[in-house]
């Protein structure tokens, strides 16, 4: 039987490697190909409110199958104030906006998400406001026609809405 | 959530339970809070019609609080993962809007008393009309911890800076 201190050190090293891998996006996270016509325009503003903590935002894009099963297609890091993304129209997509926060001194991290189903209409554009400030976050999606500033607010739609609609078929 | 929050949660549970039992319903929670060590009742008025406050509770409660949160704390001697599920319930009648928030720890925290279905009650907000344009808010809430959640519910009542709380804080 090994020395408990050695086992503790090994466990700490393994956990550190796992954490580093997670942060590096090596545990199942992949970059979204983003090859389609850009119809999702994401405007991001994050502020952790402290020099000693950090907040980052990203969006995971999933294809929603006929049985409402999710097929993860990739992640877009929302590192720039404006990022254009192309999502397939005429099919359900499941968007998961992820806010990850970490505190340097407290060695603490956590993530919180905002999810919604979205079926993009052809030729329509979707302006997405992603904000994080004072420990509050907001995601708003507005559907507009090209060259029009007005549009309609898209309310979040839970995945259960897909399941309930497919269950009625 | 760090060890401080866990400690505060533990104290809250003890204080609310009187070391015997924890409120099993929102009504029991309302009755227990005034005498509790780490909880208090806060009453204020907002310059907003009751219907608007009720609609905001109905919209923001489920969107922002029906979440499962994972937080990780790490030092060179320990690694702690806490998984918490929040359950919001909104009840609206002609003369009252209620927001109940429950918290259930899936992992990382021991329960010291019987937990109600959906988790321990951590906050109850009651909104009642005073006039056509003013609404009274009674907030039954912890006096320590959960500051972001409390601030978010106040914002929903006042209609200012409406967003979702980062429940990892």
């Amino acid at each position: 039987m090994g020395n408990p201190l050695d086992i503790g050190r090994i466990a700490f090293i393994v956990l550190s490697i796992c954490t580093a891998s997670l942060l590096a996006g090596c545990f199942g996270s992949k970059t979204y190909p983003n090859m389609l016509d850009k119809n999702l325009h994401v405007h991001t503003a994050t502020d952790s409110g402290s020099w000693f903590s950090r907040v980052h935002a990203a969006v995971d894009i999933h294809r929603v199958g006929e049985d409402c099963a999710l097929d993860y297609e990739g992640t877009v890091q929302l590192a720039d104030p404006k990022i254009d993304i192309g999502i397939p129209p005429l099919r359900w997509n499941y968007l998961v906006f992820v806010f990850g926060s970490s505190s340097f001194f407290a060695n603490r991290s956590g993530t919180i998400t905002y999810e919604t189903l979205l079926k993009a209409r052809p030729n329509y554009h979707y302006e997405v406001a992603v904000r994080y400030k004072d420990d509050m976050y907001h995601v708003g999606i507005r559907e507009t026609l090209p060259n029009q500033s007005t549009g309609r607010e898209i309310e979040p739609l839970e995945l259960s809405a897909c399941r309930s609609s497919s269950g009625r078929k | 959530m760090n060890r401080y929050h866990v400690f505060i949660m533990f104290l809250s549970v003890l204080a609310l339970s009187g070391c015997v039992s924890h409120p099993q319903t929102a009504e029991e929670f309302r009755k227990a809070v005034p005498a509790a060590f780490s909880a208090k009742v806060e009453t204020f008025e907002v310059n907003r019609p009751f219907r608007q406050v009720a609609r905001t509770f109905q919209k923001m409660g489920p969107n922002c609080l029906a979440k499962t949160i994972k937080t990780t704390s790490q030092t060179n001697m320990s690694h702690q993962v806490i998984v918490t599920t929040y359950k919001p319930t909104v009840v609206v009648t002609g003369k009252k809007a209620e927001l109940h928030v429950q918290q259930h720890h899936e992992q990382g925290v021991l329960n010291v008393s019987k937990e109600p279905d959906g988790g321990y009650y951590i906050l109850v907000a009651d909104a009642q009309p005073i006039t056509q344009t003013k609404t009274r808010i009674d907030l039954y809430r912890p006096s320590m911890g959960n500051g972001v959640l409390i601030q978010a519910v106040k914002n929903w009542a006042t209609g200012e800076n409406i967003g979702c709380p980062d429940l990892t804080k």
Side-chain angles (χ1 to χ4, degrees):
Chain A
M1 189 173 286
N3 182 331
L5 282 175
D6 290 340
I7 293 170
R9 283 196 193 101
I10 291 167
F12 173 68
I13 290 166
V14 169
L15 286 171
S16 300
I17 291 169
C18 289
T19 306
S21 302
L22 278 169
L23 290 172
C26 297
F27 264 59
S29 175
K30 64 181 179 186
T31 302
Y32 180 67
N34 206 14
M35 305 290 280
L36 300 172
D37 289 343
K38 306 298 183 275
N39 53 0
L40 198 68
H41 311 288
V42 186
H43 306 262
T44 306
T46 61
D47 179 3
S48 70
S50 165
W51 285 13
F52 306 113
S53 61
R54 195 172 70 95
V55 174
H56 72 270
V59 56
D60 297 339
I61 296 163
H62 302 259
R63 165 194 286 270
V64 182
E66 284 187 12
D67 56 353
C68 300
L70 296 182
D71 181 14
Y72 171 65
E73 296 195 311
T75 297
V76 178
Q77 298 296 332
L78 303 177
D80 295 326
K82 183 169 185 278
I83 289 183
D84 298 322
I85 303 171
I87 60 170
L90 296 172
R91 68 151 226 218
W92 284 110
N93 299 279
Y94 192 60
L95 307 180
V96 181
F97 293 88
V98 181
F99 298 93
S101 60
S102 54
S103 171
F104 303 133
F105 285 146
N107 256 335
R108 223 156 54 79
S109 62
T111 55
I112 193 157
T113 59
Y114 175 98
E115 305 95 1
T116 185
L117 286 167
L118 180 67
K119 186 186 275 186
R121 295 201 279 176
N123 302 320
Y124 279 77
H125 285 250
Y126 296 83
E127 300 292 334
V128 186
V130 175
R131 287 200 318 265
Y132 185 105
K133 192 177 182 190
D134 298 332
D135 298 332
M136 302 278 174
Y137 65 93
H138 167 82
V139 177
I141 303 178
R142 178 168 287 276
E143 182 186 66
T144 60
L145 272 168
N147 306 320
Q148 285 191 5
S149 57
T150 56
R152 70 181 180 105
E153 198 77 25
I154 305 279
E155 291 294 327
L157 199 55
E158 291 180 20
L159 189 59
S160 57
C162 169
R163 295 191 177 117
S164 57
S165 66
S166 65
R168 284 197 295 268
K169 285 176 186 172
Chain B
M1 182 177 291
N2 58 20
R3 285 183 200 145
Y4 171 75
H5 291 116
V6 174
F7 178 66
I8 293 301
M9 177 68 191
F10 179 75
L11 283 181
S12 302
V13 168
L14 281 183
L16 286 167
S17 66
C19 301
V20 177
S21 64
H22 195 276
Q24 299 294 301
T25 64
E27 188 53 33
E28 285 182 15
F29 184 79
R30 287 187 189 95
K31 287 177 179 161
V33 162
F37 163 66
S38 59
K40 67 182 204 178
V41 187
E42 188 176 352
T43 298
F44 55 95
E45 292 179 11
V46 296
N47 292 317
R48 248 180 129 206
F50 165 72
R51 284 282 157 213
Q52 281 185 21
V53 175
R55 268 200 299 273
T56 307
F57 281 3
Q58 284 175 316
K59 179 182 175 186
M60 302 304 283
N63 286 349
C64 297
L65 302 179
K67 303 276 181 191
T68 296
I69 305 297
K70 181 179 178 181
T71 55
T72 304
S73 308
Q74 188 171 317
T75 68
N76 57 1
M77 295 296 287
S78 69
H79 178 85
Q80 184 180 37
V81 177
I82 297 176
V83 180
T84 308
T85 296
Y86 292 84
K87 182 189 173 199
T89 304
V90 181
V91 182
V92 177
T93 61
K95 291 185 175 175
K96 193 173 183 187
E98 304 176 24
L99 169 65
H100 314 157
V101 185
Q102 292 171 263
Q103 181 185 55
H104 168 68
H105 292 294
E106 313 274 354
Q107 181 187 331
V109 177
L110 288 175
N111 292 335
V112 295
S113 64
K114 187 189 172 201
E115 185 175 326
D117 286 344
Y120 293 114
Y121 286 87
I122 57 169
L123 182 145
V124 169
D126 294 334
Q128 292 171 284
I130 301 172
T131 65
Q132 294 283 349
T133 58
K134 283 183 185 285
T135 303
R136 172 193 160 114
I137 309 293
D138 293 309
L139 203 55
Y140 301 82
R141 54 121 168 145
S143 53
M144 293 180 280
N146 290 293
V148 181
L149 169 66
I150 294 162
Q151 188 59 53
V153 174
K154 286 181 179 176
N155 292 352
W156 299 345
T158 60
E160 295 164 5
N161 189 23
I162 290 180
C164 295
D166 181 350
L167 296 168
T168 65
K169 296 299 174 70

